[in-house]
Amino acid sequence: MHSSSLDGSDNPAESHQRTSAPAATTKVDRILKVCGENPDLEALVQLATSGEGLVNDQVRQRAWPVLLGYDLSKDPDIVRDAMWKELPVHKDEDQVARDVDRSFIYYPKTTSCTVDADADQSESQLDRRKADLSTVITQVLRTCPILSYFQGFHDIVQVFLLVLGVDDAPEAVSHLALSRIRDFMLPSLSPSLAHLRLLPAILQVEDARLCQHLSQTQPFFALASTLTLYAHDIEDYSDIARLFDFLLAQDAIVSVYFFAEIILSRREELFEISSDDSDMLHFVLSKLPKPLDLETLITRTMSLYTDHPPETLPYRAWARISPYSVLKTARADFRQQTLSDGVELFRRQVTQLRNDEMREQAKAMLWKYRRPAGQVGLAVFVGVLAFWLRKKWL
């Protein structure tokens, strides 16, 4: 557990965000109250979204499980499986090892998670943290082997590790993986790219001129940020922890609206670059501005989301999103979903991806062989094609 007190007064990494210690203490008391035996989720969401978020890490230890929809003392899906090390090795563990070796670049030099806040991490402390990070990721993957690891997942998990500790982080990360970022852990990148294709639609309804200016630039510039919940790009620990407060409190799609708001906030800068220079626009947009005015961005993101909910976006953008995507399932009462529900949604989405791939392959083959000898030949060809596709996915 961390050494900081619940009022957050001894954490230099976060104290600069607060206007006064008494005000922070008052907010801490309110958060802890709504995280009680019968949590007031609506009040907690408002507190996590409002200025300064959840204030400090010990409060987050109480609040993040509530925001993720589980209770360590009540949830039957949660089992502290001490035997996870005996489970089969996950196919992505080699990549996990490489990514873990590159972790903890920016923090926790300014956090009080396990060492004094003003002390840089020693090599032995860094090695221990990397070992803990590997433990959390490997445990999650082995206990839910259908998940596919993606580069950047370690950026997210290290924040959870620093906030919750090595014992409690696996449960939180499992719920996050299956209920909030499931699209990123599928065996295909296409669901992740579908998130990005919402950006032009959001920009169109808010600033059509800016949307037109960026129309020759594909929205792939947002991939690294949205894929890692911004943990790959934000270098200050207190900032990323505060942003996680907000993102965990809101619908999963709000992360996309947040990036749209970042684009809108850079309007003047982007108009200084020619719309024909898509490479430069991509380069600029792929780097988050520094510093980020998080509180202003969060407030404006909520206004943008309220004014233009996804169901109202043009280009049928929302209709094109899979019904099994977290963008649609991580809304409203998603916190009632269990880990088993998440696994079932994962399987349904994989099935849909396979069906979509089969249709695209069928279209490509029909186009390639679009001149068979007569309709009888076409019928025979379609039958052979159907047999081949069934065999491929059996």
Side-chain angles (χ1 to χ4, degrees):
M1 285 298 177
H2 310 338
S3 59
S4 59
S5 62
L6 284 175
D7 66 6
S9 59
D10 60 347
N11 190 340
E14 295 172 325
S15 61
H16 73 279
Q17 296 180 8
R18 298 187 292 276
T19 56
S20 67
T25 302
T26 300
K27 187 172 187 181
V28 165
D29 291 340
R30 292 168 61 197
I31 296 169
L32 296 177
K33 182 178 180 180
V34 301
C35 288
E37 186 174 349
N38 297 302
D40 184 340
L41 184 58
E42 183 177 353
L44 180 58
V45 166
Q46 292 176 352
L47 288 164
T49 303
S50 64
E52 303 171 6
L54 296 173
V55 183
N56 66 50
D57 282 352
Q58 286 204 346
V59 177
R60 292 183 178 106
Q61 291 168 18
R62 300 275 288 275
W64 281 12
V66 178
L67 292 175
L68 285 167
Y70 74 94
D71 185 331
L72 285 171
S73 64
K74 298 178 181 178
D75 194 330
D77 275 354
I78 296 175
V79 179
R80 293 183 181 276
D81 187 0
M83 301 298 292
W84 67 267
K85 292 182 181 179
E86 306 302 321
L87 295 173
V89 172
H90 190 276
K91 60 183 176 61
D92 297 327
E93 287 187 30
D94 287 345
Q95 185 60 54
V96 171
R98 289 190 287 271
D99 286 352
V100 166
D101 191 52
R102 298 191 291 265
S103 61
F104 299 110
I105 301 299
Y106 303 122
Y107 41 77
K109 292 185 179 182
T110 57
T111 122
S112 62
C113 297
T114 54
V115 294
D116 292 338
D118 57 353
D120 284 356
Q121 52 190 347
S122 67
E123 188 170 342
S124 62
Q125 290 166 338
L126 179 59
D127 289 342
R128 187 186 72 245
R129 287 196 179 92
K130 289 182 177 180
D132 288 346
L133 179 60
S134 178
T135 293
V136 174
I137 296 175
T138 306
Q139 181 174 345
V140 170
L141 294 178
R142 288 193 186 183
T143 53
C144 191
I146 61 173
L147 295 173
S148 295
Y149 175 83
F150 64 90
Q151 287 187 274
F153 184 59
H154 70 292
D155 292 314
I156 298 174
V157 177
Q158 73 178 21
V159 179
F160 276 82
L161 172 63
L162 293 172
V163 171
L164 301 176
V166 68
D167 293 329
D168 292 337
E171 286 85 2
V173 173
S174 293
H175 279 79
L176 179 85
L178 286 167
S179 67
R180 303 281 306 194
I181 61 170
R182 186 177 60 249
D183 292 5
F184 306 154
M185 308 200 76
L186 290 159
S188 169
L189 188 61
S190 59
S192 302
L193 299 180
H195 290 214
L196 307 185
R197 295 190 179 99
L198 291 171
L199 283 170
I202 299 171
L203 294 176
Q204 175 65 32
V205 293
E206 183 66 16
D207 191 331
R209 182 171 171 238
L210 179 59
C211 182
Q212 177 62 34
H213 185 72
L214 300 177
S215 61
Q216 297 183 54
T217 305
Q218 293 295 319
F220 303 142
F221 49 73
L223 183 61
S225 292
T226 55
L227 198 67
T228 63
L229 302 182
Y230 303 88
H232 180 73
D233 299 302
I234 294 180
E235 300 177 7
D236 184 84
Y237 175 76
S238 61
D239 283 348
I240 191 59
R242 191 278 175 268
L243 182 57
F244 271 32
D245 295 341
F246 169 61
L247 295 178
L248 295 180
Q250 299 297 327
D251 297 342
I253 194 175
V254 169
S255 176
V256 181
Y257 278 77
F258 184 78
F259 200 97
E261 186 55 47
I262 291 175
I263 296 174
L264 291 165
S265 72
R266 307 177 74 177
R267 187 177 193 274
E268 293 183 6
E269 174 188 4
L270 295 171
F271 275 125
E272 292 178 356
I273 304 171
S274 171
S275 61
D276 294 329
D277 196 349
S278 58
D279 289 342
M280 179 57 69
L281 285 169
H282 178 98
F283 175 79
V284 170
L285 288 167
S286 66
K287 308 293 183 183
L288 296 186
K290 297 179 183 179
L292 277 178
D293 184 352
L294 276 181
E295 299 302 339
T296 298
L297 285 170
I298 287 171
T299 299
R300 291 179 176 174
T301 296
M302 290 310 301
S303 295
L304 184 65
Y305 184 54
T306 302
D307 293 343
H308 308 292
E311 295 85 354
T312 67
L313 296 177
Y315 315 136
R316 298 187 69 251
W318 186 239
R320 298 177 189 277
I321 299 296
S322 165
Y324 307 119
S325 167
V326 292
L327 297 184
K328 290 185 174 178
T329 64
R331 303 184 76 196
D333 59 351
F334 86 92
R335 292 182 177 88
Q336 298 177 15
Q337 295 173 10
T338 64
L339 292 177
S340 298
D341 293 332
V343 170
E344 178 59 25
L345 287 166
F346 186 100
R347 296 188 188 282
R348 291 182 182 183
Q349 201 165 357
V350 168
T351 298
Q352 184 183 49
L353 285 171
R354 288 175 174 174
N355 290 340
D356 290 345
E357 182 179 340
M358 289 167 63
R359 279 194 295 271
E360 291 304 313
Q361 290 175 339
K363 289 179 183 178
M365 292 187 71
L366 285 170
W367 178 253
K368 182 177 180 180
Y369 298 102
R370 61 190 179 278
R371 296 179 181 175
Q375 293 186 358
V376 174
L378 177 61
V380 172
F381 172 75
V382 171
V384 172
L385 176 62
F387 174 79
W388 177 80
L389 289 172
R390 283 200 305 272
K391 182 178 180 181
K392 173 177 173 62
W393 287 107
L394 288 178

